[in-house]
Amino acid sequence: MDLILNYFPTISENQRRQFEMLMPLYADWNAQINLISRKDFEHFYERHVLHSLAIARFIQFASGTKVIDIGTGGGFPGIPLAILFPEVHFTLVDSIGKKIMVVNDVVEKLGLENVLAINQRAEQLAMEANFVISRATAPLSELVDWTQHLIAPGKTMSLGMNGVELKSGWIALKGGDLDEELAPFGKKVQVKPIADFFEEAFFETKKIVYLPNE
């Protein structure tokens, strides 16, 4: 938890309480459903919570922005971002019902009113959002194919790192060599190393990928 406060020292007392609640809530569920490996769980705040919050270093979602988290699993990156951006609406989607059951329980116990969890395949969704986010769910080309129909066109009020409004599109957390995966998108795609934001060794190979809907 100190790790979160180190990088996000201005969060409110309620947000701090919600972040503190995450680990015991997931520990309880992890004993029932194998959501997170034991080795990873020892680094829960670094590898799951802070990793999710890297997106908040890349973009400041404006109030009223609609975000869909595809393949959310147990709620990452959606739940940590929903805590950080209480005025943004997050829809967390996964095709596995047990995982959405966990998400609903965590959301209820945290008192998050800006999260909707849906047990469905991305291709079957019928809604509109400004951004689709995802963490290592699928190659970017597949993610775009599954969710192209969900992205609202045009710019949003959400600001990127340079203070410029970003177009609606896709934001994905990925790792490793992405050259082949991203080649079809040419210069349209932006890649930002998470190591630019966080100093922990875990983030040395981790990246944020942004593709505007053009």
Side-chain angles (χ1 to χ4, degrees), residues 1-5 7-8 11 15-27 36 39-54 76 80 83 110 135 198 200 202-203:
M1 181 59 203
D2 289 344
L3 197 59
I4 307 305
L5 293 174
Y7 288 109
F8 297 91
I11 60 174
Q15 288 170 318
R16 178 173 179 162
R17 178 188 62 83
Q18 289 171 324
F19 280 123
E20 286 176 341
M21 290 175 66
L22 285 177
M23 192 165 187
L25 284 173
Y26 280 101
I36 301 169
K39 182 180 178 181
D40 256 9
F41 202 84
E42 293 174 2
H43 306 278
F44 176 76
Y45 280 105
E46 176 186 89
R47 298 185 181 182
H48 297 279
V49 181
L50 190 60
H51 190 200
S52 298
L53 294 177
F76 301 97
I83 293 173
L110 293 178
R135 184 174 73 148
F198 306 142
E200 286 71 24
F202 173 74
F203 298 110

Side-chain angles (χ1 to χ4, degrees), residues 62-73:
S63 177
T65 300
K66 295 179 180 179
V67 180
I68 299 177
D69 177 5
I70 295 296
T72 190

Side-chain angles (χ1 to χ4, degrees), residues 58 68 70 130-134 140 142-151 167-172 185 189-190 208-214:
F58 178 79
I68 299 177
I70 295 296
N130 304 109
F131 295 96
V132 164
I133 63 174
S134 185
L140 188 61
E142 292 184 19
L143 185 65
V144 170
D145 286 344
W146 296 343
T147 59
Q148 179 77 61
H149 66 291
L150 303 175
I151 301 285
K167 290 184 177 180
S168 296
W170 295 265
I171 302 173
F185 301 99
V189 70
Q190 296 180 29
I208 295 171
V209 174
Y210 164 62
L211 178 69
N213 185 27
E214 296 179 337

Side-chain angles (χ1 to χ4, degrees), residues 69 72 75-76 78-79 90-94 100 103 115-119:
D69 177 5
T72 190
F76 301 97
I79 285 179
F90 290 85
T91 301
L92 276 53
V93 181
D94 204 281
I100 291 300
V103 170
V115 176
L116 172 67
I118 298 178
N119 174 208

